[in-house]
Amino acid sequence: MAPRATSTKPAERDGQAHQTPLTSTAASIELPPPSELFPSQGGGAPQWVELLPPGPEVVGRDGRKWRLDDAAQVAISSYDSDRDIPIDYEHSTEIKAPEGEPAPAAGWIKQLQARGGALWGEVEWTDRGRQMVAGREYRYLSPVFLHSKDRPQRILKLLSAGLTNNPNLRMTALNREENSMDQEILKALGLAEDASGEQAVAAINTLKTERDSAEEKARNSARQPSLDKFAPRADYDAAVERASNAEAKLAEAGKQAREQEIEAEITKALEAGKITPATADYHRAQCKAEGGLERFKEYVEAAPEVARNTNLGGTPPGKGAALTGDAAKIAAMFGHTAEDLKEYR
């Protein structure tokens, strides 16, 4: 039989009204000893349990807040003619059952009541559930409920409750510690806090598709690079070789032109008598040094005439020219032979 939503009057015992002491906190609902509750089913398990603490504000251990403005309306919304609301172990109905794992009930909520702003339920315990509660193996209840998306988030409907020793009234999806991790994942995916698992999976698959597409594009670019940015290796090597050859030819042409210019300046200086043939090789070597030709030109410009070679363009002096009679006599006076004069003219 599905749970019934009843009035907000406190239950009566022996004809007298008894207000139940509120021992819950905003983060958990402790199950008091049976002697402090309404009549139990026997065996030490309470017949009535507090399922939601009194509103209007419900605060979790993590500091998050929800609104419980009308516990009676939540009781009505939670009523389902087709099934009872389960009390399970550690929220197994919400966690294990969807994975196909066993999720046995510890009890079934048969009736809901609003009392003093809180939501209470009448429980029909299973044998095992009654024993665990009576033996204090479990001391707390942690509700699972739906809530609105707006702020403040309003509690709309009770779905189940779990026996636990570590409750937290965390309401994002299921009231359990792992949901903080779920929220971080949803946030990283750019999804809303109330996004479904299917939406999260779809977002992850989209990211994977985009990543695979980017990787494939990068591989294609590597295999077929754009010709406006890259050139085939053979073409590149050929271009480098052509440039090197052209540079070598230009350097050779420049060297030849330089040597011709040096020779022209040396000849010009010899003709002007500014240098002697004996020093021509010296000046030629100096001209080949960096800046040497310019320095030589400056030297010739300022140097006095030291020798006039009148035989330039003919047979070099001392190289086969016949000695005149006067020249032979003068050479004999100084003890020079004709060969000496040819060598040292």
Side-chain angles (χ1 to χ4, degrees):
M1 178 179 179
R4 294 180 291 109
T6 63
S7 69
T8 60
K9 296 192 303 179
E12 294 185 356
R13 180 181 183 185
D14 299 329
Q16 297 181 350
H18 297 272
Q19 181 65 41
T20 302
L22 300 178
T23 59
S24 66
T25 68
S28 62
I29 301 173
E30 185 172 8
L31 298 175
S35 60
E36 299 180 12
L37 294 167
F38 298 101
S40 70
Q41 289 181 315
Q47 181 178 355
W48 286 86
V49 295
E50 189 180 27
L51 297 168
L52 289 172
E57 186 175 67
V58 177
V59 182
R61 285 181 179 174
D62 60 358
R64 299 176 66 186
K65 301 175 181 180
W66 303 273
R67 297 287 298 183
L68 181 60
D69 295 319
D70 191 343
Q73 182 58 49
V74 173
I76 294 173
S77 300
S78 303
Y79 172 75
D80 190 334
S81 59
D82 295 327
R83 73 178 187 94
D84 293 334
I85 297 174
I87 295 179
D88 55 29
Y89 303 96
E90 304 290 356
H91 296 303
S92 58
T93 300
E94 311 292 342
I95 300 173
K96 293 185 177 182
E99 301 297 327
E101 299 181 35
W108 299 95
I109 299 172
K110 310 299 291 185
Q111 184 178 181
L112 293 171
Q113 285 186 358
R115 300 176 181 175
L119 184 66
W120 286 72
E122 182 184 21
V123 184
E124 181 182 275
W125 296 100
T126 65
D127 292 340
R128 181 187 175 199
R130 183 185 304 108
Q131 292 172 3
M132 286 195 168
V133 172
R136 309 289 276 177
E137 295 183 50
Y138 281 107
R139 294 188 60 189
Y140 303 94
L141 278 176
S142 177
V144 177
F145 45 84
L146 295 177
H147 65 88
S148 64
K149 296 181 180 180
D150 58 347
R151 301 285 182 174
Q153 296 172 329
R154 301 179 184 277
I155 298 175
L156 303 176
K157 180 179 180 180
L158 181 71
L159 299 178
S160 66
L163 290 174
T164 181
N165 289 321
N166 187 30
N168 195 25
L169 272 188
R170 191 183 298 273
M171 202 205 67
T172 302
L174 301 175
N175 301 320
R176 54 193 178 101
E177 295 277 341
E178 290 80 1
N179 284 335
S180 60
M181 177 71 73
D182 296 341
Q183 287 303 297
E184 291 299 323
I185 294 174
L186 292 176
K187 183 177 179 181
L189 292 172
L191 299 176
E193 292 182 356
D194 59 346
S196 66
E198 290 78 8
Q199 290 174 312
V201 171
I204 292 172
N205 288 335
T206 298
L207 290 176
K208 290 173 62 179
T209 300
E210 292 175 353
R211 180 202 63 189
D212 294 343
S213 177
E215 290 179 351
E216 181 63 23
K217 184 177 180 181
R219 286 192 293 268
N220 290 337
S221 297
R223 289 192 294 265
Q224 299 177 349
S226 176
L227 292 179
D228 62 342
K229 297 180 180 179
F230 301 93
R233 184 69 190 187
D235 293 347
Y236 171 79
D237 292 341
V240 170
E241 184 178 0
R242 286 195 298 269
S244 299
N245 292 338
E247 184 177 358
K249 290 179 179 179
L250 286 174
E252 182 64 25
K255 180 181 178 182
Q256 292 177 359
R258 185 73 169 176
E259 289 179 350
Q260 290 175 358
E261 184 180 4
I262 291 173
E263 288 301 322
E265 292 296 328
I266 292 294
T267 301
K268 183 179 176 181
L270 286 170
E271 292 176 346
K274 297 297 184 75
I275 63 172
T276 64
T279 62
D281 287 341
Y282 167 79
H283 288 296
R284 187 177 290 109
Q286 291 298 312
C287 286
K288 292 181 179 181
E290 185 176 357
L293 180 58
E294 288 71 23
R295 290 192 296 270
F296 177 73
K297 290 179 180 180
E298 294 175 359
Y299 167 77
V300 170
E301 183 72 21
E305 184 176 332
V306 296
R308 170 70 67 174
N309 185 357
T310 59
N311 199 32
L312 290 175
T315 302
K319 298 296 181 180
L323 295 177
T324 64
D326 291 339
K329 290 179 181 180
I330 294 172
M333 291 173 62
F334 285 93
H336 296 308
T337 65
E339 287 75 14
D340 292 337
L341 290 177
K342 290 179 181 180
E343 186 69 24
Y344 304 105
R345 182 75 177 184

